[in-house]
Amino acid sequence: MTELLTRTPVPGAVAANPDSSEVRVNMSGAPGDSSGGASSRRSRVNSHSHSHSHGHSRPQHHSNSEPELDPTDSDLDSGEPSASLSELRCLFRWLQKSLPFLIILCAKLVIQHALGLAVGIGLFTTFLYVNKNIQTQVFLQDRHSKLQCLWLLLFLISSTLLLYYTFVTETLYHCLIFFTPTIEALGFWEILWAVGITNFIIKFLFMGIKCLILLLPSSLVTYRAQGRWLMLTEELGQVHQAIAPLPLWFRYLVTYQETDGAPGLTLGVLLALVYLILKLLGLYGQCASFLKTVRIFLIGEHTGTAATRSQCSEAGDVCPICQGDYREPRALLCQHIFCDECIALWFNREKSCPLCRTVITEKVYKWRDGATSPHLQIY
Ligand SMILES: [Zn+2]
Ligand SMILES: [Zn+2]
């Protein structure tokens, strides 16, 4: 039986715990003595060691003033500052564990709704393609290709017909004329589906009208008037898009919880009325802007007055935009003179004089460039 007797050289430790100044380390681990083999081995290695009243085997611990609390203290020290971090780590670990399940779930959803997803992607890409091409054709003006416009029109018609043919049993085209389709169990997702499809089809419809406007001979619709026609078409399309989801959501809200009896029905009617009021308020604002567009379409914008012959000769008889002789010259507020058509096309995109930047119109009316709003009118 080997006994190690160490005497502490630290006076503080003695003062704090005088009883522990002497440590008996029993190599055989006698009962009652808490110090184990590891401690005794360490005591031998660190011959200069301080008192070891307990056999905590942390080699970096040298303070023995409070030997009982040391392990817990060190745990708390490392735990408190990183509490939020450990929570995050926990969350991350949970996510890491559930990631395979989420992937499986996504795969299942994708397979289950493959057709719906494909239709959605198809509609969106068709929209992007046609929208970009119509804008290009409008930009090209007299250099635009009628063939390209015809192709876009046919593309839109065939996409629409293909879609309605695929879902012929659902009679989704009813939504276009504000009827509800004959989908069984008109639930939330079915409504969303019908509203989304209808929204795209209405966009296609009005894009088709824009193609027709481009196809008309320039003697019928001049390039000067083309911007206004396109603007009116787009505004009409937006009003149609805003009204189309109204009957669907109204019916959905009214029939909500109908099976529960009278209270459910009352709640449904209340919700539907609130929706109707909000919708009508929105439509009121939209109609105001639509009427403004119609007014501009009918009377045109006041951008300047007809220039006299003397004004034109003062300006050098050359239009600064087309660099040619003046055709129906118009003098702006800033007295700069341009051809009527040149300056009208300029104001399709800008609101100031091309020469001196004097602001002539209060705002640039959108949609004159043939663009269609990508905004999806869901409700
Ligand atoms: Zn000109
Ligand atoms: Zn000017």
Side-chain angles (χ1 to χ4, degrees), residues 200-247:
F200 271 114
I201 297 298
I202 295 172
K203 281 188 204 298
F204 288 2
L205 190 74
F206 283 88
M207 282 162 125
I209 295 175
K210 285 175 191 175
C211 288
L212 279 176
I213 290 173
L214 287 175
L215 279 170
L216 286 174
S218 54
S219 55
L220 214 65
V221 178
T222 57
Y223 294 117
R224 187 189 190 290
Q226 201 178 60
R228 283 189 282 165
W229 277 97
L230 292 171
M231 180 176 70
L232 186 73
T233 310
E234 176 59 22
E235 288 282 349
L236 260 176
Q238 285 188 12
V239 172
H240 191 178
Q241 284 174 56
I243 299 173
L246 181 74

Side-chain angles (χ1 to χ4, degrees), residues 11-232:
V14 182
N17 202 350
D19 292 337
S20 66
S21 58
E22 274 190 4
V23 178
R24 275 173 196 274
V25 183
N26 203 326
M27 287 301 278
S28 66
D33 199 332
S34 59
S35 53
S39 173
S40 59
R41 249 174 273 131
R42 225 192 87 223
S43 321
R44 245 184 289 160
V45 171
N46 306 332
S47 53
H48 67 278
S49 74
H50 318 292
S51 67
H52 290 269
S53 59
H54 284 274
H56 55 86
S57 55
R58 289 164 183 260
Q60 70 271 34
H61 253 302
H62 285 274
S63 162
N64 286 306
S65 51
E66 286 165 319
E68 292 271 3
L69 289 171
D70 268 357
T72 46
D73 270 355
S74 64
D75 277 359
L76 279 173
D77 284 347
S78 64
E80 267 176 44
S82 62
S84 53
L85 202 74
S86 70
E87 270 174 28
L88 271 177
R89 211 174 293 150
C90 224
L91 188 73
F92 177 72
R93 222 171 288 144
W94 179 80
L95 278 177
Q96 214 172 15
K97 268 186 201 166
S98 44
L99 191 65
F101 176 70
L102 288 176
I103 290 172
I104 291 168
L105 206 66
C106 283
K108 162 80 179 164
L109 284 173
V110 166
I111 294 164
Q112 206 171 15
H113 300 284
L115 185 64
L117 280 171
V119 167
I121 293 167
L123 284 174
F124 190 63
T125 45
T126 304
F127 168 76
L128 287 181
Y129 170 74
V130 178
N131 192 18
K132 190 174 172 294
N133 274 283
I134 288 179
Q135 283 182 69
T136 311
Q137 294 302 317
V138 172
F139 182 76
L140 287 173
Q141 290 180 16
D142 52 345
R143 283 169 290 140
H144 83 276
S145 130
K146 299 257 184 224
L147 210 64
Q148 176 78 8
C149 295
L150 197 67
W151 152 247
L152 290 175
L153 185 63
L154 288 176
F155 186 59
L156 285 174
I157 291 172
S158 53
S159 316
T160 308
L161 289 181
L162 182 71
L163 182 96
Y164 280 147
Y165 178 72
T166 314
F167 302 101
V168 71
T169 51
E170 297 184 3
T171 60
L172 287 170
Y173 47 84
H174 281 182
C175 304
L176 288 178
I177 44 173
F178 316 122
F179 288 130
T180 45
T182 53
I183 302 173
E184 277 180 54
L186 215 55
F188 175 75
W189 294 109
E190 286 77 14
I191 297 276
L192 211 59
W193 160 257
V195 165
I197 296 279
T198 306
N199 201 248
F200 271 114
I201 297 298
I202 295 172
K203 281 188 204 298
F204 288 2
L205 190 74
F206 283 88
M207 282 162 125
I209 295 175
K210 285 175 191 175
C211 288
L212 279 176
I213 290 173
L214 287 175
L215 279 170
L216 286 174
S218 54
S219 55
L220 214 65
V221 178
T222 57
Y223 294 117
R224 187 189 190 290
Q226 201 178 60
R228 283 189 282 165
W229 277 97
L230 292 171
M231 180 176 70
L232 186 73

Side-chain angles (χ1 to χ4, degrees), residues 319-327 338-343:
C319 167
I321 295 178
C322 63
Q323 298 292 317
D325 290 343
Y326 282 121
R327 292 162 286 144
F338 308 93
C339 311
D340 186 42
E341 188 175 335
C342 291
I343 198 63

